[in-house]
Amino acid sequence: MRIEDKSLLKTEAYIDGKWVSKESTFAVSNPFDGTLIAQISDCNQEDTEKAIEAAHKAFKVWNGFTANKRSKILQAWNTLILENANDLAHILTVEQGKPLAEALGEIKYGASYIEWFAEEAKRVYGDVIPGQSTKNRITVIKQPVGIVGAITPWNFPSAMITRKIAPALAAGCTVVVKPSEYTPLSALALAVLADRAGFPPGVINIVPTMDAASVGQTLTSHPKVKKISFTGSTRVGKLILKQSADQVKKVTLELGGNAPFIVFADADIDAAVEGCFASKFRNGGQTCVCTNRIFLHESIHDAFLEKFALKVESIKTGNGLDTDVHIGPMINEGAIEKDLQLINDATQKGAKIITGGDRKEGLFIEPTVICDLDSNMDIYSSEIFGPIAAIYKFNSEAEVIQKANDTNYGLASYFYGRDYALIWRVAEALEYGMVGINTGVMSTVTAPFGGVKESGFGREGSKYGIDEYLNIKYMCWGGVE
Ligand code: SIN
């Protein structure tokens, strides 16, 4: 791998401040050409328990630091990540596939969560509340929940870790991270830099594994783990929620989406085309907030489609390390098969392909635009997670709101329009945790990221993000006379 600092490439687990090598390993390969990148130590239940014990021991130390001291260490980590951003982006592209520029964007986006929560660490305020008795006084303090198990996905192998553990660490929690088996190298590189930044041993632990079920079960069932934060599919999220229920653990779930992208008759069509393109094809469509169903008002349907299809035809797929590539490979064969099935089902039921529609050599699908879709097709209710733009036509506001909300998911939604009253009505009516109004890109550290319905609960980022890792304690002071 062509990186400057080779010491960022680690293949061992990181437990209690030590690099732990295992006899049993699993392979990580480049999704672009299938070449082997590394053999990674494969952690099991016992390793996970050791990591939890280390986090437990470290909790007293870390929570005993002042917020200012924790903040300084987080800031040092942020600085090191930014200094090594090119290397980290390179590692990310090689194991995940996304183009280098996008990978670099992710590294900076991920670091922004550390910078933000390093500041928020110093602002975990309590309250003094006016009581209803002259004899009593009421105060509230906030305390870290304890040990956090973070289970993170392959589509954002760096930023989804920092978005979870930066607020946890800022709050005073210690963490055990299980990264995706497809992308452990980014997680381990973050740990190298965390080590250099000066986190005490056991504050951050990383347990890569092929056996996600066993490590996940250990994290959700261990009595010392007080909180689980998960980003991934709704199917696995439900399992984690059920497993965590036995001990009534706190849980944050960022799950799947089925984002509508609505273009109303009075919208700025060029801006809508740009916004839709950015939202649909980010990370090759493998993003939970990617546009999934594009609803076009019948009066602008053809004009939008013509401009949009032209843009899609110009997309270059290939090796993410090549600077002119817009979309890298999909993550695995299963992802390709699922998307081809969605295309087949739709065309068999009468849909029309405007561009793309076929598989290409390697883990690639042609960027696709497909129209004449309706709600009987599987693509309407499935999270596509690939470079397929699915187009629907509508003719009234009521109809499109009903269709946009006609899903169990509720993560991101988008619409373009200019009428002031319509904008308010639609934004309020959409049953989603996030609404992009005349924009297709809305993720930022300063805003609360999260969903409703089966897209999960809890919020990441923003002033709300740290609350997920804090317990509120009410103190009633009696006998004050
Ligand atoms: C995700 O796909 O879960 C994260 C995307 C983002 O932060 O915008």
Side-chain angles (χ1 to χ4, degrees):
M1 212 183 282
R2 279 171 288 142
I3 58 172
E4 269 180 33
D5 183 352
K6 298 270 189 248
S7 67
L8 290 174
L9 272 182
K10 282 284 182 191
T11 57
E12 301 96 344
Y14 184 66
I15 299 173
D16 204 10
K18 295 179 203 73
W19 294 99
V20 179
S21 178
K22 301 268 310 178
E23 241 171 61
S24 161
T25 61
F26 65 94
V28 175
S29 4
N30 184 332
F32 171 65
D33 55 11
T35 49
L36 179 73
I37 308 169
Q39 289 290 143
I40 305 290
S41 284
D42 190 7
C43 290
N44 54 21
Q45 179 181 342
E46 202 186 318
D47 305 308
T48 311
E49 282 167 357
K50 280 185 191 152
I52 294 168
E53 287 306 329
H56 181 67
K57 200 172 59 177
F59 179 66
K60 270 206 177 74
V61 179
W62 184 244
N63 185 36
F65 285 2
T66 61
N68 209 39
K69 188 162 173 184
R70 289 199 299 273
S71 173
K72 287 250 159 22
I73 298 174
L74 280 159
Q75 281 167 23
W77 191 28
N78 172 49
T79 304
L80 285 167
I81 290 174
L82 294 177
E83 281 170 8
N84 289 276
N86 288 331
D87 279 354
L88 294 171
H90 193 96
I91 294 169
L92 202 163
T93 292
V94 172
E95 69 175 348
Q96 197 272 344
K98 68 177 67 174
L100 207 48
E102 225 177 309
L104 190 59
E106 178 180 339
I107 299 299
K108 291 181 182 166
Y109 175 51
S112 74
Y113 285 95
I114 302 175
E115 185 195 29
W116 176 268
F117 285 109
E119 291 300 322
E120 290 297 284
K122 297 178 272 186
R123 298 189 187 112
V124 178
Y125 301 124
D127 267 318
V128 180
I129 299 176
Q132 294 200 318
S133 157
T134 54
K135 295 190 190 123
N136 294 346
R137 297 291 181 271
I138 296 171
T139 58
V140 165
I141 60 167
K142 292 183 183 171
Q143 294 177 302
V145 293
I147 297 163
V148 174
I151 304 176
T152 57
W154 51 264
N155 63 340
F156 285 83
S158 192
M160 292 307 99
I161 293 180
T162 55
R163 184 154 89 184
K164 292 185 186 315
I165 74 172
L169 297 166
C173 301
T174 54
V175 298
V176 178
V177 180
K178 188 212 84 61
S180 161
E181 62 272 29
Y182 289 101
T183 55
L185 290 161
S186 293
L188 296 169
L190 284 177
V192 172
L193 298 175
D195 199 75
R196 281 185 209 161
F199 285 95
V203 171
I204 298 175
N205 304 275
I206 314 269
V207 286
T209 184
M210 262 311 268
D211 192 353
S214 155
V215 170
Q217 171 77 44
T218 310
L219 288 171
T220 52
S221 63
H222 199 295
K224 285 185 178 154
V225 176
K226 301 298 181 201
K227 155 99 197 184
I228 299 289
S229 182
F230 170 72
T231 294
S233 71
T234 293
R235 184 186 65 79
V236 177
K238 285 180 183 177
L239 199 68
I240 284 173
L241 191 57
K242 282 186 191 139
Q243 290 173 357
S244 304
D246 267 353
Q247 291 165 12
V248 199
K249 280 192 206 311
K250 256 172 116 80
V251 178
T252 294
L253 297 174
E254 301 290 2
L255 309 178
N258 185 2
F261 189 105
I262 308 168
V263 186
F264 286 99
D266 68 343
D268 175 337
I269 301 297
D270 289 333
V273 166
E274 289 299 325
C276 188
F277 186 80
S279 160
K280 177 65 246 179
F281 293 102
R282 184 169 167 224
N283 196 16
Q286 302 174 111
T287 301
C288 305
V289 292
C290 270
T291 285
N292 214 52
R293 294 171 297 158
I294 303 164
F295 295 104
L296 304 178
H297 188 265
E298 57 190 6
S299 63
I300 50 90
H301 177 274
D302 294 354
F304 181 100
L305 200 52
E306 197 181 320
K307 291 181 182 196
F308 188 72
L310 262 182
K311 266 187 94 67
V312 176
E313 278 161 12
S314 73
I315 294 176
K316 182 160 185 235
T317 57
N319 186 350
L321 293 179
D322 295 341
T323 45
D324 58 344
V325 158
H326 305 117
I327 293 185
M330 307 274 288
I331 193 69
N332 58 27
E333 194 58 40
I336 302 260
E337 276 164 23
K338 186 188 122 191
D339 279 355
L340 291 175
Q341 263 171 27
L342 292 177
I343 294 174
N344 284 342
D345 172 78
T347 50
Q348 273 166 22
K349 292 176 181 160
K352 190 167 136 204
I353 291 176
I354 302 294
T355 183
D358 283 326
R359 174 173 196 155
K360 291 169 77 182
E361 204 192 323
L363 291 177
F364 289 96
I365 294 189
E366 289 174 337
T368 299
V369 180
I370 185 165
C371 69
D372 295 347
L373 298 172
D374 64 48
S375 57
N376 299 320
M377 300 169 181
D378 292 347
I379 201 166
Y380 178 80
S381 47
S382 309
E383 185 177 31
I384 299 171
F385 236 62
I388 304 168
I391 313 267
Y392 304 77
K393 206 184 259 186
F394 73 92
N395 63 27
S396 77
E397 184 184 327
E399 177 203 349
V400 79
I401 292 295
Q402 184 276 326
K403 288 205 166 121
N405 289 337
D406 180 24
T407 169
N408 291 337
Y409 293 111
L411 191 59
S413 56
Y414 308 87
F415 68 93
Y416 276 65
R418 284 195 259 223
D419 179 74
Y420 173 84
L422 173 130
I423 287 177
W424 264 107
R425 281 195 307 273
V426 174
E428 287 177 355
L430 286 169
E431 295 165 358
Y432 289 83
M434 296 177 277
V435 185
I437 303 161
N438 292 319
T439 180
V441 180
M442 57 176 156
S443 301
T444 164
V445 65
T446 59
F449 186 103
V452 296
K453 294 159 77 175
E454 292 191 14
S455 289
F457 48 77
R459 291 295 177 266
E460 295 191 319
S462 80
K463 67 173 180 173
Y464 306 105
I466 201 163
D467 293 340
E468 304 287 323
Y469 301 95
L470 292 166
N471 284 329
I472 285 179
K473 185 177 279 173
Y474 152 48
M475 299 173 183
C476 183
W477 305 65
V480 185
E481 274 184 298

